[in-house]
C-alpha cells in the first residue's frame, strides 16, 4: 500500500486525512526506518508494508471506536514503535494518549517521534505493565486501552483491564487466532471486571492477512490484587 493508496483507503472510510497528516505519516516512516537501524523496533520497514501493516492496520480500530466524540483518553500498553496509538493520535489530535513500554530505548524513540511530529497531550512511561497497573494514579483512568500483538489475551487482560475506566473499552488487536485466545481468556476477563462486547474480524487489503479486534467493556472494578507482580501474569495466566 503506497501513501496515495493509504490516503484513498482512509478517505473511502470517511476518516479525517489531509496533506498535513500525510506529511506526519511520511516523517513517521522515515524516523522509524532510521531508528530501526539502531534498535530493533519492527521487522517491517519497507514503505508499502509500513503503510499497510502498521499505519493502516492501527487505524482500523477507528471503525469500531468513535474517536471523534469529546476528548477521549487512550492508553497503549506495550506500544513498541507507537502502534496503534501514534497513528490514531495523528488522525484524531483530540485524543489524549499515554504509552507504556518496558524498554527505555523504545521510549527514547517515541519521545523524539512525538517531538518531531508536533504531537501534544502525549504521555510516555517507561514501566512494566504490571507495575503501571498497580499505580493508583493510573488505575481505572482510561476511556480506551489498547494493546497490539503484545501477549496472549489472558495475559493482556491482566495488563489492561485494571487501568480501564468502568464503562470504558479495552481493545485487543489480534491476528487470525483471536477466537482461540478468547476461549482461553474468558475466565480472566470476568475476574478482572471485563465483559466481551464483540469480536470484529476483517481481511487487510493486498492479501496481507486476517485481523481481529476484540472489544471488551469494563463493567466492574478490578480486584486490587491485579495485576500481580511483574512476570507472574506471563508465567501463570489466570
Amino acid at each position: 500500500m503506497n501513501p496515495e493508496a493509504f490516503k484513498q483507503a482512509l478517505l473511502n472510510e470517511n476518516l479525517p486525512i489531509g496533506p498535513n497528516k500525510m506529511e506526519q505519516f511520511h516523517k513517521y516512516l522515515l524516523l522509524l526506518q532510521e531508528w530501526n537501524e539502531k534498535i530493533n523496533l519492527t521487522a517491517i520497514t519497507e514503505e508499502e508494508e509500513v503503510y499497510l501493516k502498521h499505519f493502516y492496520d492501527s487505524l482500523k480500530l477507528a471503525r469500531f471506536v468513535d474517536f471523534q466524540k469529546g476528548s477521549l483518553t487512550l492508553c497503549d500498553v506495550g506500544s513498541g514503535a507507537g502502534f496503534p496509538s501514534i497513528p490514531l493520535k495523528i488522525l484524531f489530535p483530540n485524543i489524549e494518549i499515554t504509552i507504556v513500554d518496558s524498554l527505555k530505548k523504545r521510549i527514547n524513540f517515541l519521545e523524539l517521534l512525538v517531538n518531531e511530529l508536533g504531537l501534544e497531550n502525549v504521555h510516555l512511561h517507561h514501566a512494566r505493565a504490571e507495575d503501571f497497573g498497580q499505580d493508583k494514579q493510573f488505575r481505572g483512568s482510561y476511556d480506551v486501552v489498547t494493546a497490539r500483538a503484545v501477549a496472549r489475551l489472558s495475559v493482556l487482560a491482566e495488563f489492561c483491564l485494571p487501568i480501564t475506566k468502568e464503562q470504558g473499552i479495552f481493545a485487543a488487536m489480534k491476528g487470525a487466532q483471536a477466537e482461540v485466545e478468547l476461549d482461553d481468556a474468558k475466565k480472566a476477563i470476568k475476574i478482572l471486571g471485563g465483559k466481551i462486547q464483540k469480536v470484529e474480524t476483517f481481511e487487510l487489503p493486498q492479501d496481507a492477512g486476517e485481523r481481529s479486534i476484540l472489544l471488551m467493556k469494563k463493567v466492574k472494578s478490578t480486584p486490587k490484587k491485579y495485576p500481580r507482580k511483574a512476570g507472574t501474569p506471563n508465567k501463570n495466566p489466570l
Side-chain angles (χ1 to χ4, degrees), residues 71-75 89 93-98 121-123 142:
S71 298
L72 290 178
T73 55
L74 179 147
C75 185
K89 177 67 177 175
N94 58 298
I95 308 171
E96 180 173 356
I97 69 168
T98 297
N121 285 324
V122 177
H123 313 287
Y142 300 99

Side-chain angles (χ1 to χ4, degrees), residues 20 43 54 120 123 146 192 229-230:
N20 291 341
H54 281 327
E120 298 179 349
H123 313 287
T146 61
L192 296 160
K229 67 180 182 179

Side-chain angles (χ1 to χ4, degrees), residues 7-21:
K7 179 182 177 183
Q8 192 57 53
L10 298 187
L11 289 172
N12 290 347
E13 295 183 29
N14 295 314
L15 293 174
I17 189 69
N20 291 341
K21 292 175 183 178

Side-chain angles (χ1 to χ4, degrees), residues 13 37 46 68 89 99 102 110 114-115 139 145-146 157 171 191 202 205 211 214 226 232 236:
E13 295 183 29
E37 294 180 6
E46 294 297 322
Q68 300 194 71
K89 177 67 177 175
I99 292 176
S102 61
L110 292 168
V114 166
N115 186 55
R139 281 183 76 85
V145 178
T146 61
I191 289 171
F202 53 90
R211 297 287 188 273
L214 297 90
Y226 301 112
T232 303
N236 185 25

